[in-house]
Amino acid sequence: MYTLLKQEGTARRGEFKTVHGTVQMPAFMNVATCAAIKGGLSAYDLQNINTQVMLSNTYHLHLRPGDETVKKLGGLHKMTGWNGVILTDSGGFQVFSLAKLNNITEEGVVFNSHIDGKRIFMGPEESMRIQSNLGSTIAMAFDECVENPAPYDYAKASVKRTTNWLNRCKAEMDRLNSLDGTINPHQMLFGINQGATYRDLRIDHMKEIAALDLDGYAIGGLAVGEPAETMYEIIEAVEPFAPKDKPRYLMGVGTPVNILEAVYRGVDLFDCVMPSRNARHGHLFTWSGIINIMNAKYELDENPIDSECDCPVCQHHTRAYLRHLFKAKEMLGMRLAVMHNLYFYNTLMQKIRDNLDAGSYEVFYQKYRNILDKRI
Amino acid sequence: MYTLLKQEGTARRGEFKTVHGTVQMPAFMNVATCAAIKGGLSAYDLQNINTQVMLSNTYHLHLRPGDETVKKLGGLHKMTGWNGVILTDSGGFQVFSLAKLNNITEEGVVFNSHIDGKRIFMGPEESMRIQSNLGSTIAMAFDECVENPAPYDYAKASVKRTTNWLNRCKAEMDRLNSLDGTINPHQMLFGINQGATYRDLRIDHMKEIAALDLDGYAIGGLAVGEPAETMYEIIEAVEPFAPKDKPRYLMGVGTPVNILEAVYRGVDLFDCVMPSRNARHGHLFTWSGIINIMNAKYELDENPIDSECDCPVCQHHTRAYLRHLFKAKEMLGMRLAVMHNLYFYNTLMQKIRDNLDAGSYEVFYQKYRNILDKRI
């Protein structure tokens, strides 16, 4: 359960108790799509880079190895070796983005697997059953993700469907949690606010789902093409209507500066593939901005990626070695880069929390909002 | 320098002192072709899998990042973070196998880079200069590698050239070690026995190079297509003529059983890409034989890869998880598999040494020579 420890303006310092440990918030979730972090990091590596929450994807794990298989293996915690908090998404976002979509009805969605083309039906109940089989700490409600910009009428109808689906998710989750043999009978459910970029739809929807007394609330359907300013405006619009005593999760966001801005506006939880994806292309986050390790100027540079960073990579390896590994296309280069970038994100959250604790978030935010996303 | 601690039949238990530490022999060298172990293992990971010697490739590092660059970075030890013994090969084998070969003369070899087609000349002096720039503990002599079977006359002429090249290597290495600014002024030189599959050429050549009082002796040009029995016969033929007080290194060998057989015949040092290459295809070594982790029977198998194995992978992860990672093509699968296989090889050598110490190598050898290469 969420406890608000301190507030600075709208920014919140809190903690969130779960059966798999307490999450200090604001927090960033490290993405392990197929039950593994890209770049060859294991659950045990995550401990060394101060990870609090691992996020895995329902859609991918439903297809491979299959959620029934994961259940037989004792759930994601036992399968991967990660003992901390795990959040699973609902599969919705991938169904709407990765899969070949056939049909959306009130009942759910028919789509074709991006792996083998197999025809699959997923609705709220299916998503809950899969997430129950995965045994995550936190399950996400099954929602429809519309692209921005979306026509008003479509967005409105879609939000209504998402609300209906949320009620079904809640009922199914309650049922599953009460069954014998459920891996995590304390599985939590977060609802997802939708409404495209329409303030009125967003606010009405947040009010509606806030009444359901869920374990947490996410803002979904952002960072999918709209300008960052629009995203910040939506957060500002819905924040007053999100329950104060529940965590707020901004899905799929974002750059370090996006996170600074969203924390400033009252968000507690984040996830994004950016740190690992950028790492695999040699784009590394530092406290002075983003560097491209492939750059010729690093050929003989014996400094660590970031002299301000305490991560296992910066303690041991030079920019010159990293650059060589990338040029030689050695897997080790990707691994070290991902490790550094995730550590950077986790440390960013730590510094945000420390500054909130100290009442100095405003100063920290003003200092770094013009630095961290800059390519140097 | 090599000290023979104990002998059982022809098998030798020894130790080899270098400026970068003492190698307990017999030993297996872990291959880091481009100054990185395939599968995303760093120099620091090597410590956790009981590695004694890292081997890097002169040809690859000459092309990328360039040996002058490695020298400016302080040599391979400083560049990679590996503090133990490093052996570099001469580049010869790659020049003859990977590169587009233009011309072999008494002077050396002209070839085209496999990366960008650039025309490059390499002879004994060039190979020594590159290896001196890399700063390895042990440099290998530049030799001609002929394919088996090779015509007798060609093999004979080639051996003569290899001997001439060896003398030039020795002179150049002495000169380089005496220069100011040489990274490792104590760099050692190993000669390489050649002669294709001809006993008389092999023996004459070994006698000739033994007289040069080098730091060690390798048997090269084997495991390149000839039957394993032929390889064992060549080892038996040349072994009596290899200096007793120097390490003997069988290049590019081999399977666990190849190693058992070669130790039995007096070999002290090995290298092979097999453990890491097989790992990347899901073929994992165990004390009961080789398993293919992609096999359907492992889908729900919650045992470690090998219940007899103490490696970091077997301590933490199940066959089912490994199989999932391979099926999902996750980099983590490769990393864990490489880590396990290299640990297996390093442990095989440890067990060989322990049994030699205890005078029980014959028993160990007889037990495992019919098991370890078997696919199960």
Side-chain angles (χ1 to χ4, degrees), chain B residues 312-327:
Chain B
V313 185
C314 288
Q315 279 173 30
H316 289 311
H317 300 290
T318 64
R319 291 173 169 179
Y321 185 48
L322 261 287
R323 179 178 187 273
H324 162 64
L325 295 174
F326 269 89
K327 297 296 270 186

Side-chain angles (χ1 to χ4, degrees), chain A residues 96 104-106 124 141-146 154-170 191-195 205 208-209 212 214 218 220:
Chain A
F96 289 97
I104 313 176
T105 64
E106 187 58 30
F142 189 73
D143 60 338
E144 181 180 353
C145 305
V146 300
Y154 188 89
K156 189 171 182 178
S158 168
V159 165
K160 187 168 183 303
R161 180 151 55 209
T162 287
T163 308
N164 294 342
W165 285 357
L166 176 57
N167 281 298
R168 284 163 56 191
C169 283
K170 190 165 187 283
I192 305 177
N193 174 250
Q194 291 286 357
H205 189 234
E208 204 165 12
I209 63 178
L212 292 177
L214 301 167

Side-chain angles (χ1 to χ4, degrees), chain A residues 298-302 320 323-324, chain B residues 61-62 64-75 79 133-134 183:
Chain A
Y298 301 124
E299 187 186 2
L300 297 171
D301 189 338
E302 296 190 66
R323 179 178 187 271
H324 162 65
Chain B
L61 292 169
H62 175 56
R64 195 167 53 194
D67 51 285
E68 295 284 351
T69 296
V70 176
K71 185 176 188 184
K72 285 178 192 153
L73 294 172
M79 177 178 163
N133 284 341
L134 299 177
I183 288 185

Side-chain angles (χ1 to χ4, degrees), chain A residues 283-303:
Chain A
H283 299 152
L284 306 179
F285 294 100
T286 80
W287 292 98
S288 317
I290 302 164
I291 69 170
N292 181 349
I293 198 66
M294 305 275 253
N295 200 305
K297 71 181 169 189
Y298 301 124
E299 187 186 2
L300 297 171
D301 189 338
E302 296 190 66
N303 294 300

